[in-house]
């Protein structure tokens, strides 16, 4: 149904020759140190004309990457990439692009001072965001005793998100934003159990 609509609609001109095969994004997800956006690979996609050529090029890149890293090297790369995917508590705020060019000094308020690029307290925002993110991940790890159907479904969704980012383009925490709703709902459901577990561990170590 969707395919029929796309092929018959006349509002947007679609250039099928510019399509990039899914395997291209898997190839990008294996490239470099972090498995993130690869400009050279993207440029090659635009140079190649047919979908088959693009597919063959991407497969060739994947094979070369696997041969270069080897099985253990690729596992090490995935572990490192998972770290890059989840490391930044601000999810890459102001680290890419130039979407926020306004000054915090114009019609200033407390939010601008914390969130704008020239804000006085931007570093404080990044610090507190990182602390909250670490706490959130800790609660997710410690709240595993809560194993209801909804909780386990959300856990599977989060694990699926991790796997997706490991296989495809990732390497930056901003890609985690699309999975945050699952994190927030799961944290709400298991926060009490997670905090209780943390207290037990804390008092056990203290003794």
């Amino acid at each position: 149904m969707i395919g029929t609509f796309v092929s018959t609609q006349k509002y947007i001109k679609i250039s099928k020759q510019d399509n990039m095969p899914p395997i291209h994004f898997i190839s990008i997800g294996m490239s470099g140190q972090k498995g993130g956006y690869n400009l050279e690979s993207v440029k090659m996609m635009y140079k190649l004309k047919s979908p088959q050529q693009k597919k063959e090029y991407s497969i060739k890149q994947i094979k070369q990457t696997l041969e270069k890293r080897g099985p253990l090297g690729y596992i090490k790369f995935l572990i490192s990439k998972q770290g890059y995917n989840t490391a930044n508590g601000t999810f890459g705020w102001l680290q890419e692009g130039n979407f926020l060019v306004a000054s915090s000094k114009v019609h200033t308020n407390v939010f601008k001072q914390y969130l704008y690029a020239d804000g006085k307290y931007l570093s404080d925002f990044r610090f507190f965001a990182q602390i909250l993110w670490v706490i959130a991940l800790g609660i997710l790890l410690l709240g595993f005793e809560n194993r209801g159907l909804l909780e386990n479904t959300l856990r599977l969704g989060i694990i699926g998100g991790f796997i997706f980012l490991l296989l495809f383009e990732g390497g930056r925490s901003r890609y985690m934003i699309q999975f945050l709703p699952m994190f927030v709902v799961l944290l709400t459901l298991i926060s009490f159990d997670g905090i209780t577990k943390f207290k037990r561990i804390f008092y056990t170590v203290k003794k």
Side-chain angles (χ1 to χ4, degrees):
M1 181 178 178
I2 296 176
T4 302
F5 172 77
V6 171
S7 61
T8 57
Q9 62 85 29
K10 298 181 180 179
Y11 297 100
I12 301 174
K13 184 178 180 181
I14 298 176
S15 300
K16 292 185 178 181
Q17 66 272 16
D18 293 332
N19 286 351
M20 296 185 185
I23 198 168
H24 160 70
F25 298 98
I26 295 178
S27 173
I28 285 183
M30 298 171 63
S31 65
Q33 182 183 2
K34 300 181 179 180
Y37 183 79
N38 189 310
L39 181 59
E40 180 181 346
S41 181
V42 173
K43 286 182 177 179
M44 184 58 68
M45 287 294 104
Y46 286 115
K47 287 182 180 180
L48 299 173
K49 300 302 180 183
S50 71
Q52 185 61 30
Q53 287 178 321
K54 295 176 182 180
K55 182 178 179 180
E56 290 174 356
Y57 172 80
S58 297
I59 293 174
K60 181 180 178 181
Q61 292 297 107
I62 290 174
K63 289 181 178 179
Q64 289 178 349
T65 302
L66 290 175
E67 289 175 0
K68 182 179 179 181
R69 288 203 174 99
L72 293 178
Y74 183 60
I75 292 173
K76 182 179 178 181
F77 165 78
L78 291 177
I79 294 172
S80 177
K81 185 179 180 182
Q82 176 66 9
Y84 288 120
N85 286 342
T86 58
N88 191 335
T90 70
F91 306 107
W93 179 250
L94 294 178
Q95 291 185 0
E96 292 182 82
N98 55 356
F99 62 92
L100 187 56
V101 296
S103 173
S104 64
K105 298 176 177 60
V106 179
H107 303 297
T108 187
N109 59 55
V110 65
F111 297 105
K112 290 183 178 181
Q113 293 300 327
Y114 276 97
L115 298 174
Y116 277 40
D118 62 348
K120 184 178 180 180
Y121 304 116
L122 177 62
S123 59
D124 294 330
F125 160 71
R126 286 177 171 160
F127 175 77
F128 288 120
Q130 192 66 31
I131 292 296
L132 289 174
W133 180 237
V134 171
I135 291 173
L137 292 178
I139 292 175
L140 287 175
L141 289 173
L142 295 174
F144 61 87
E145 291 183 357
N146 192 327
R147 301 177 184 177
L149 177 61
L150 179 57
E151 290 83 358
N152 283 341
T153 301
L154 291 168
R155 287 190 182 97
L156 287 174
I158 291 172
I159 293 172
F162 286 156
I163 294 173
F164 177 84
L165 293 180
L166 286 175
L167 292 176
F168 293 89
E169 180 182 345
R172 288 168 288 186
S173 295
R174 69 180 179 88
Y175 289 101
M176 290 297 301
I177 293 174
Q178 59 194 315
F179 305 114
L180 281 184
M182 290 187 293
F183 277 91
V184 172
V185 175
L186 182 58
L187 280 170
T188 303
L189 295 172
I190 70 171
S191 58
F192 179 79
D193 293 328
I195 293 171
T196 302
K197 186 72 173 180
F198 174 78
K199 288 181 179 178
R200 290 178 192 167
I201 295 173
F202 176 78
Y203 289 122
T204 301
V205 173
K206 191 176 180 180
K207 291 178 181 179

